[in-house]
Each structure stands twice: as structure tokens, then as C-alpha cells.
Amino acid sequence: MDSMGNAGLGARRNEDIALDLLKFVAGVANVGRATAPSTGFTASAAPKPDEHVTELLALYSRCLKAVEGKGADK
């Protein structure tokens, strides 16, 4: 009952925080964006959509574990 009362006070679920972390990491690391060729470099083949989804789900899983404090070293 207490958790329901705190929900309206700005408390956020771990899943919501992990999703925000995923958005941040994906944006910084350019995950999910097509690579554009630059001078001297050729773009690698674009990942298939299902590979992209698998990569994002794995990243979300890692973000959720980090938020919950269940890192690899614990």
C-alpha cells in the first residue's frame, strides 16, 4: 500500500529509469543510427532490423541491471 501512495509523489520505477538511460546511451553511442561514410572510411553494411532490435534489448537489459544495482561485479 505504501508503494502505491508514493507513486504519485514522483517516484519512478526502475524500468522507466532504465529506459531513460537506454535513450541516453543510445544517443551518445549512435546506436540505431545509420553510419554515414566519412573521408577515408567506408560505411559498414547496415544492421538488419532484427539485429538492431536484439542489440537494443540487450542494451536495455544492461541498463535495467545497472539501475537495480545488479552489475556484473555484484
Side-chain angles (χ1 to χ4, degrees), residues 30-63:
N30 290 326
V31 174
R33 298 198 176 139
T35 56
S38 60
T39 306
F41 297 97
T42 58
S44 60
K48 296 178 183 175
D50 45 336
E51 291 173 354
H52 178 68
V53 169
T54 302
E55 182 179 318
L56 286 175
L57 287 173
L59 181 58
Y60 175 76
S61 176
R62 291 178 64 187
C63 290

Side-chain angles (χ1 to χ4, degrees), residues 20-35:
D20 286 342
L21 182 59
L22 167 73
K23 291 175 186 177
F24 173 76
V25 171
V28 170
N30 290 326
V31 174
R33 298 198 176 139
T35 56

